Amino acid sequence: MFAPRKNHCAARVPDEATRDSIAAVTDQHGFALALSQTSHADEIAALCVEAAHRIEGVDIAGVYRFEAGTGALVLSACRGADAAFIAQRSHYPHDAPNAVWVRESHESFGQRMPLPESMQARLRGEGITAFAVIPFRFRGRAYGCLNVASRGLPAFSPEADAALTTLTMMTSEALARAEAELAMSRSDARLRFLFDTMSQGVVYHNAEGVVVDANPAAGRILGLTREQLLGLTSYDPRWRATREDGRLLHGDEYPESVARRTGAPVRGFVIRVDTPSGDRRWIVVDAYPQRDAGAPNYGWVHAVFTDVTESRADRAKLEAHEAQLTALVRATLDGFVCVSDEGTILDANENYARLLGQPLDAVRGMHIAQTDGGRDRAAVEEQLALIAQQGWARFGATLRGAKGERVEVEVSAWRVPDQGMHLAFVRDLRDLRSSEDQLRQAQKMEAVGRLAGGIAHDFNNLLTVINSTCE
């Protein structure tokens, strides 16, 4: 097949033909062995060119491959051509006729592509007497092509054609394998980078439950090195993990063990782990079982866990803060109301509902304009817009009770940024107005008393003068 060159016109005796066959098989075996030892496309192209150049009648051989990303047809390896020939034919953009021609070819596996007459004429003008283009195709996809040319033979012999076909078929498979291995290698590298840099811990358990791999985050969260994690199992007595209710977690209760036993993923399992340094970590674990093809039971399990220690502490602080605010709102003597930007009452306290004379559940969901006793909806919404613009406002208002009674109040309202709501304390002014009325009445009585006292004093003085005069 790829045996040394021979004179195509010379007669061959049976012994010579046998030797040629043996040499061809040996050469083909060596080529296959060389292809199996590399996964680099450029090396495969170079091997293909060397083998093609040894075929009888081939003076020039070149391998073109489609460039990843651009789709350009690029010369990867060449032998027998001068520098000028290579410079003119080393690169074809993705939309060039040659690149489109090879990409969209419909020739079957290893079949030669027919050359256009214009291309044949141009090659004959450059001294090329025989030429062949065979695409590298595998499972319907074109990876490039093999170009061979002769400067002396009018056509390649049937043996040379068969050798070129076999050579192209073997190279097509090798190029497809190289691309698949490169894609897999890049995918593995990306996954490994993600595995090593992700903030969640990841631990792999084999079918016996033994940890066989762990990422850096797992060691950081659990307070162990990767070497210390490898070889551990869920039944190791050094583990001290508890549930949220404080009960100690046993080996067969770990998410990894449950997932393997049931064959179903375990998600959102919360565990408290005591690390060797004495820290207590809260983690949320997801465990996913895996079963090899044909295996009767689930074996491998990978567990992914997130450290939620700080978020739980923050949540506890937030809940305590909310409880304090709730107690404050409930304890205040004023009414309290939370209103959306659209004017819907989202929440309120009992004192606000009492001002309206309605149950609290009935107040929630009402439009704030329904509670206003002196303004229409447009005016109330204008007031809300003004508060949103200023950020805070204090103003007087009149509430309308369930029975139509009017309650004069003072409102201190402010808008919560980025929350789409307003908060307001509403103070009942009825007691204040009553006190003011009582004060005014007292002031009137005091004025009357002073006036009466003054008149009595003046009258007494007048009587004194009259008495003195009479005496």
Side-chain angles (χ1 to χ4, degrees):
M1 170 182 163
F2 310 137
R5 299 166 179 271
K6 296 187 179 297
N7 185 352
H8 179 57
C9 299
R12 291 180 290 177
V13 298
D15 289 343
E16 184 179 359
T18 301
R19 287 195 300 272
D20 288 348
S21 298
I22 295 174
V25 171
T26 302
D27 209 14
Q28 181 178 345
H29 179 269
F31 181 66
L33 181 62
L35 288 179
S36 68
Q37 293 175 344
T38 182
S39 59
H40 297 286
D42 288 337
E43 295 179 3
I44 294 172
L47 288 171
C48 180
V49 165
E50 289 297 322
H53 199 257
R54 291 199 301 271
I55 295 176
E56 180 182 357
V58 175
D59 296 314
I60 302 173
V63 167
Y64 286 86
R65 292 191 304 110
F66 286 110
E67 188 177 55
T70 66
L73 192 62
V74 180
L75 183 65
S76 295
C78 184
R79 184 163 181 180
D82 56 28
F85 186 93
I86 294 174
Q88 294 176 1
R89 298 171 171 85
S90 63
H91 184 276
Y92 297 97
H94 75 283
D95 55 351
N98 289 32
V100 175
W101 178 53
V102 174
R103 187 185 300 112
E104 297 181 356
S105 63
H106 298 288
E107 280 65 34
S108 59
F109 197 35
Q111 186 178 0
R112 181 188 299 194
M113 296 173 59
L115 270 67
E117 288 294 335
S118 58
M119 184 179 294
Q120 295 183 35
R122 186 169 65 254
L123 292 173
R124 283 193 295 269
E126 297 177 4
I128 303 298
T129 58
F131 195 90
V133 177
I134 308 175
F136 297 125
R137 298 188 70 84
F138 188 76
R139 294 181 178 175
R141 179 180 172 186
Y143 291 86
C145 61
L146 170 64
N147 291 12
V148 292
S150 175
R151 296 185 183 276
L153 295 178
F156 293 113
S157 67
E159 293 85 357
D161 280 338
L164 289 170
T165 297
T166 304
L167 173 65
T168 307
M169 293 170 63
M170 297 173 66
T171 304
S172 297
E173 293 184 4
L175 288 174
R177 172 178 53 82
E179 183 171 299
E181 291 182 1
L182 178 61
M184 185 176 295
S185 175
R186 289 174 175 172
S187 177
D188 289 344
R190 289 193 294 267
L191 290 175
R192 191 71 207 187
F193 180 78
L194 175 64
F195 182 76
D196 290 337
T197 58
M198 62 190 300
S199 59
Q200 293 87 358
V202 180
V203 174
Y204 283 92
H205 301 260
N206 64 14
E208 288 73 38
V210 178
V211 176
V212 294
D213 201 2
N215 70 343
R220 184 171 59 253
I221 294 171
L222 299 176
L224 298 170
T225 64
R226 181 176 181 273
E227 290 70 24
Q228 291 172 326
L229 282 170
L230 299 183
L232 293 179
T233 69
S234 299
Y235 295 87
D236 194 293
R238 287 173 290 181
W239 290 117
R240 285 195 56 82
T242 57
R243 296 174 176 268
E244 285 189 286
D245 58 8
R247 290 190 298 113
L248 188 66
L249 199 66
H250 300 289
D252 59 353
E253 297 176 318
Y254 278 82
E256 171 265 330
S257 299
V258 175
R260 180 182 295 103
R261 185 172 61 253
T262 62
V266 177
R267 296 184 177 92
F269 197 92
V270 181
I271 303 175
R272 192 194 73 187
V273 179
D274 295 338
T275 67
S277 63
D279 293 335
R280 288 185 170 180
R281 294 281 178 183
W282 286 97
I283 59 176
V284 178
V285 185
D286 297 336
Y288 302 91
Q290 296 173 279
R291 180 169 57 187
D292 294 333
N297 301 315
Y298 286 91
W300 285 63
V301 175
H302 72 274
V304 182
F305 49 92
T306 305
D307 186 355
V308 295
T309 306
E310 293 183 1
S311 62
R312 284 178 66 94
D314 292 341
R315 186 177 66 183
K317 292 179 182 178
L318 179 61
E319 290 175 350
H321 183 63
E322 289 180 348
Q324 292 175 352
L325 291 179
T326 301
L328 175 63
V329 169
R330 289 178 177 176
T332 182
L333 297 177
D334 294 333
F336 177 81
V337 62
C338 175
V339 182
S340 70
D341 283 346
E342 293 73 28
T344 302
I345 296 178
L346 304 176
D347 202 1
N349 66 354
E350 291 288 350
N351 286 337
Y352 183 78
R354 193 175 297 113
L355 289 174
L356 299 176
Q358 298 198 46
L360 182 58
D361 291 339
V363 172
R364 295 190 182 105
M366 293 175 59
H367 194 278
I368 193 68
Q370 295 176 257
T371 69
D372 196 285
R375 297 175 296 177
D376 58 15
R377 182 167 182 151
V380 173
E381 291 179 348
E382 183 179 350
Q383 180 72 64
L384 290 174
L386 182 62
I387 296 172
Q389 180 181 359
Q390 297 178 347
W392 179 87
R394 177 178 290 173
F395 55 91
T398 302
L399 298 183
R400 182 171 62 247
K403 298 180 181 180
E405 69 276 16
R406 295 177 179 272
V407 180
E408 187 179 359
V409 295
E410 180 185 61
V411 181
S412 298
W414 67 98
R415 188 174 186 275
V416 182
D418 303 325
Q419 294 295 318
M421 66 176 65
H422 296 72
L423 303 179
F425 280 101
V426 182
R427 176 164 295 178
D428 186 355
L429 297 182
R430 287 177 296 184
D431 291 341
L432 177 61
R433 294 292 184 256
S434 176
S435 298
E436 290 177 349
D437 291 342
Q438 292 176 9
L439 177 59
R440 283 194 293 270
Q441 184 64 27
Q443 289 174 340
K444 289 180 181 179
M445 294 302 296
E446 181 181 3
V448 171
R450 289 179 180 177
L451 176 61
I455 293 175
H457 179 72
D458 292 341
F459 186 71
N460 187 52
N461 291 338
L462 180 58
L463 290 177
T464 301
V465 173
I466 294 173
N467 289 332
S468 299
T469 305
C470 293
E471 292 177 357

